[in-house]
Every structure is written in C-alpha cells, then in structure tokens.
Amino acid sequence: MKNIFKGILTLLILLAFKNGYSQQTVSTPAFRREFLEDINHLRQQGCNCGGTFMPPAAPLVWNNTLEFAAIGHAGDMATRNYFSHTSKDGRTMEDRIVMAGYTFKGFKSFAIGENIAQGQLSIAEVMQGWIKSPGHCKNLMNPGFKEVGVAFNNNYWVQDFGMREPFSPEVQKMIESGKYKVVGKN
C-alpha cells in the first residue's frame, strides 16, 4: 500500500510539472531533514510567539500527504500569481488537504493548520519570518499537531500541519462489528 501511494504521489508530481509547475522544487531528503530539524529544534526549546510563551512540544514527523497538499497550493499560487490561504477557485486549506488524501474519516480526532509565505529565499529565512509572526509561530508550536509537509515553488512556501488520532484497537473492533457508529463529517 505504501509503495502504491509513493507511485501515485510521484505520478501526480510529474503531472504537476507537465501542467506548468516547472519552477517547483520537489522535496528532497535534505529539504525534509532541514525543515524537520529547524521545526523540531524550535518545538524542543519552546518559543515566545507574539508575547505568548509556547512551551516545548513533541517533535513533528514528515507526512507525504500533507507535503502533496502543500506542493499543490504552492504551485497554484506561483502559477496564478496570488498569495492567500484560499485558492482562486475558492478551495480552503481544509478542502485542499482533504482532497490530497489527508482525511478525517475513521479517526477519533483530526486537526489541520497552514502557514504560507512569499519571497523568502531559504528555509532559515522563511522559518524566521514564521517565528516572528504570532499566528504562524503558534502553528509551529501547536502541541496538537503531530505531522507536517512543506513545499516551495518560485518563492511561495506552504507548510501544512496535521494530526489524526486513531480510535483504540478495542473501539475499532466495536465500530467494525457495528456496535459503535461514528458520527461526524463525511
């Protein structure tokens, strides 16, 4: 299943290049490692976000689905020349992340967030900008977030955060047997 997902992700990235995202920087192990090191170093120390001290938080892990959502939004902003959390076609952050496959169905709890930036030339520079912005900084330090995916395209940066908490194995069995029913977003 994991190899199928990687194959589909690779195909979609290649199709994105075909559709005009030629300036896109595809994530490399070094790109992911540097971002995770910078984010997790900050989370390990805690941070002052606009006058509010955010205590240390658990490290984030890289999520390819969140990265895919970020790649799509960074590419769209670069291609269509805009800067917003809402796509020109009206899609929200939640729409894009869920459409990329990071869904809430079957999970006990679900949370997402997004940081965007434009014009910074390096990971260090974009991270400093996000740390100086209270809202972006609070996303970086949010202890509820467990995963992250980041993309860069022609001076547009998108950082998507997520958390999905699965049901316990016992509850999963109860759901599968029909004894419990999950009610919520579909």
Side-chain angles (χ1 to χ4, degrees):
M1 183 70 170
K2 192 173 183 180
N3 287 335
I4 292 171
F5 176 75
K6 285 182 181 179
I8 291 170
L9 181 63
T10 301
L11 177 63
L12 291 172
I13 289 171
L14 291 173
L15 288 173
F17 279 122
K18 182 179 177 190
N19 290 325
Y21 300 145
S22 59
Q23 300 277 338
Q24 188 167 350
T25 301
V26 176
S27 178
T28 64
F31 179 87
R32 291 182 192 129
R33 184 177 53 254
E34 185 176 345
F35 252 116
L36 280 176
E37 285 175 0
D38 286 0
I39 294 167
N40 289 332
H41 179 73
L42 181 71
R43 288 171 70 90
Q44 181 182 18
Q45 293 180 323
C47 184
N48 187 3
C49 297
T52 302
F53 180 73
M54 302 293 290
L60 297 177
V61 297
W62 195 266
N63 181 284
N64 291 332
T65 305
L66 291 172
E67 176 191 16
F68 181 66
I71 286 170
H73 191 47
D76 189 53
M77 286 192 296
T79 300
R80 300 173 90 188
N81 195 29
Y82 71 98
F83 182 71
S84 175
H85 288 284
T86 303
S87 301
K88 281 201 169 182
D89 62 8
R91 288 176 298 135
T92 65
M93 166 193 60
E94 180 179 354
D95 296 333
R96 291 188 308 273
I97 289 173
V98 170
M99 285 173 41
Y102 195 86
T103 62
F104 40 81
K105 188 172 183 171
F107 290 91
K108 183 168 113 178
S109 59
F110 173 87
I112 54 174
E114 183 174 75
N115 286 344
I116 60 174
Q118 180 184 15
Q120 293 81 0
L121 301 176
S122 69
I123 292 172
E125 188 178 349
V126 76
M127 282 293 294
Q128 282 305 307
W130 284 331
I131 291 167
K132 290 178 183 175
S133 165
H136 294 102
C137 181
K138 287 177 182 177
N139 273 343
L140 284 163
M141 294 303 300
N142 185 333
F145 293 140
K146 307 298 182 199
E147 302 173 301
V148 67
V150 186
F152 169 76
N153 186 317
N154 198 22
N155 294 323
Y156 289 89
W157 300 83
V158 178
Q159 184 177 56
D160 285 333
F161 300 93
M163 179 282 299
R164 296 182 294 189
E165 182 182 354
F167 290 101
S168 70
E170 297 81 25
V171 171
Q172 288 177 20
K173 286 179 185 175
M174 302 280 274
I175 292 168
E176 289 170 9
S177 73
K179 291 180 181 176
Y180 279 10
K181 182 173 179 144
V182 178
V183 180
K185 287 187 171 186
N186 292 329

